[in-house]
Amino acid sequence: MNSSTSSSEAIAATEATETSWRRFSVFLVGLTVAAVLGVIAAAYVIDPYDTGRSLLFGREGVRPQGPRTANASRGRDPSFDAAIFGNSQIQLLSPDRLNKRTGFNFLQLAVPATGPKEHFVLIDWFLKHRKGPVKALVVDSDETWCTSDPEMPNFRPFPFWLYAANPVEYAKGLMRYDILEELPRRFGYVFGKNPARARPDGYWDYEPDYLNLGYDTRPEVRARLEKPYFASEPTFERDPKEGQRKFPVADKLKALAESLPAETALIVVHPARYKSYLPPERTEDGYLDKACKAAMKAALAGHPRSAVVDWRIDRPENHNPDYFFDLSHYRQPIAMAIENDIVKALESLR
């Protein structure tokens, strides 16, 4: 009798303990979920990157930071009626210089180490935040645009969630550790008396950084410019894949061109390359480059105010090593020459 009672009491005690642990576990899970949802809700309301999704803690611009996140704020600034898109190979184009020569108000939205997938996301973000007419879009079409992969893979992390049209996708993106670091910084920026602000037009002159690293003086760095990047011997009399090459980015460009109002100019720029980085004719790389450029040009046919500015060709400036830091990053003389061609193209479209 005593043994049976003791056994029942032990079972009951075990069940009570298990029930208590279950309740405690459920409480912890509930508390964690509530905390996570609370952080997301707070981040949504505070809007740390000034996306415009909340106006409770509004202040123009954001603190100094990289363009991947800062462009969410810049891209919705209604004062700009023209913009430049691409990566570091077009970021040296100056909004100020273009403004003086065109009368437009250019925004530089280039992001280093990005490709077409990111470029079209930023183009869409800029366009959907315009209240007035868009004067011009200048778009960098480099080798990443020549991919045959319809997914247009990005090779470096990019906050696609930050520019997402779906609020749920944006909210999911807020669930990350760096948001916890950014929230107090946003408060400091919003409520500070004279907080430092990221440059509104997005321009970043990378020349001083390259010069500080000795790109214009170090012999081993200068020697890299002269090393051919591609096989130099011609191997084909004609394109071995003629008619077979597919460029999904050209389809995206075509859709963009056809969606633009007639008054918006669309300029595609093939950025400059040092001579060692130009694919030789009658080679696989040369035919690929030629076919890719032709596809981009054809994609613009549906928009009357469009043009191509091609600096990815053999021209005297691309033979001058003093105009380049490396094979694809040029200096101010080239940037100003490209700007000059853009201005000419815009004038021809008026």
Side-chain angles (χ1 to χ4, degrees):
M1 189 72 175
N2 291 338
S3 175
S4 175
T5 300
S6 298
S7 177
S8 298
E9 290 176 347
I11 292 173
T14 300
E15 290 177 347
T17 300
E18 291 177 350
T19 299
S20 297
W21 274 110
R22 277 197 299 271
R23 289 174 178 172
F24 183 65
S25 298
V26 170
F27 170 76
L28 283 181
V29 170
L31 184 63
T32 300
V33 170
V36 170
L37 292 177
V39 170
I40 293 175
Y44 205 107
V45 170
I46 296 170
D47 195 11
Y49 298 111
D50 189 36
T51 67
R53 292 180 173 93
S54 172
L55 302 178
L56 292 181
F57 296 94
R59 183 170 190 164
E60 290 185 355
V62 289
R63 68 171 186 84
Q65 58 194 272
R68 279 170 167 76
T69 50
N71 283 352
S73 175
R74 293 184 181 122
R76 67 185 198 86
D77 187 334
S79 67
F80 296 101
D81 56 19
I84 305 164
F85 304 89
N87 50 39
S88 59
Q89 296 162 27
I90 203 172
Q91 78 178 55
L92 211 57
L93 301 191
S94 166
D96 281 344
R97 292 194 295 254
L98 286 170
N99 294 345
K100 290 175 182 177
R101 298 190 61 187
T102 63
F104 301 166
N105 192 15
F106 270 94
L107 172 63
Q108 176 58 274
L109 288 174
V111 179
T114 55
K117 188 173 184 178
E118 299 95 310
H119 302 165
F120 282 104
V121 166
L122 288 168
I123 290 171
D124 180 68
W125 181 261
F126 177 78
L127 289 176
K128 77 179 184 181
H129 286 93
R130 295 310 95 198
K131 296 180 180 179
V134 176
K135 302 291 183 59
L137 303 178
V138 176
V139 186
D140 163 24
S141 173
D142 66 359
E143 292 84 357
T144 64
W145 282 49
C146 299
T147 179
S148 60
D149 189 341
E151 296 298 321
M152 298 182 292
N154 54 300
F155 302 102
R156 297 286 179 86
F158 186 81
F160 292 103
W161 59 271
L162 189 59
Y163 303 91
N166 187 334
V168 175
E169 184 178 350
Y170 170 70
K172 288 180 180 178
L174 291 172
M175 193 168 59
R176 58 190 64 234
Y177 180 76
D178 55 357
I179 292 296
L180 295 177
E181 297 178 322
E182 194 61 37
L183 293 180
R185 295 170 184 163
R186 182 61 182 173
F187 274 122
Y189 177 80
V190 171
F191 297 109
K193 290 185 177 180
N194 294 296
R197 179 183 177 181
R199 182 162 171 160
D201 69 359
Y203 186 56
W204 173 34
D205 180 0
Y206 60 63
E207 272 212 358
D209 299 303
Y210 275 91
L211 292 173
N212 288 336
L213 293 172
Y215 270 73
D216 64 330
T217 56
R218 291 166 55 193
E220 69 276 17
V221 174
R222 306 305 292 165
R224 288 202 298 258
L225 279 173
E226 306 305 329
K227 184 178 180 180
Y229 185 86
F230 300 100
S232 58
E233 291 298 322
T235 53
F236 302 103
E237 290 299 324
R238 60 178 295 174
D239 187 350
K241 297 181 180 179
E242 187 173 355
Q244 302 175 24
R245 300 184 188 276
K246 303 297 181 184
F247 302 101
V249 181
D251 297 331
K252 290 282 292 184
L253 180 61
K254 183 175 186 292
L256 170 65
E258 294 177 347
S259 70
L260 292 176
E263 66 269 17
T264 301
L266 176 58
I267 310 296
V268 169
V269 178
H270 302 307
R273 295 287 181 267
Y274 189 60
K275 63 178 183 178
S276 304
Y277 196 29
L278 294 171
E281 294 183 359
R282 295 170 52 207
T283 65
E284 172 68 16
D285 293 305
Y287 285 122
L288 173 64
D289 186 63
K290 184 177 180 180
C292 180
K293 288 180 180 178
M296 301 308 159
K297 184 176 181 179
L300 299 177
H303 187 64
R305 299 197 67 219
S306 60
V308 174
V309 171
D310 190 2
W311 271 76
R312 198 165 71 232
I313 56 176
D314 190 10
R315 54 190 301 162
E317 297 91 338
N318 293 342
H319 285 251
N320 189 339
D322 292 332
Y323 287 170
F324 287 83
F325 287 117
D326 59 28
L327 297 176
S328 60
H329 291 89
Y330 45 84
R331 301 185 64 176
Q332 289 290 355
I334 296 285
M336 288 186 281
I338 294 175
E339 292 165 8
N340 185 59
D341 284 354
I342 290 172
V343 172
K344 289 181 180 178
L346 290 170
E347 291 173 346
S348 71
L349 295 174
R350 286 179 179 173

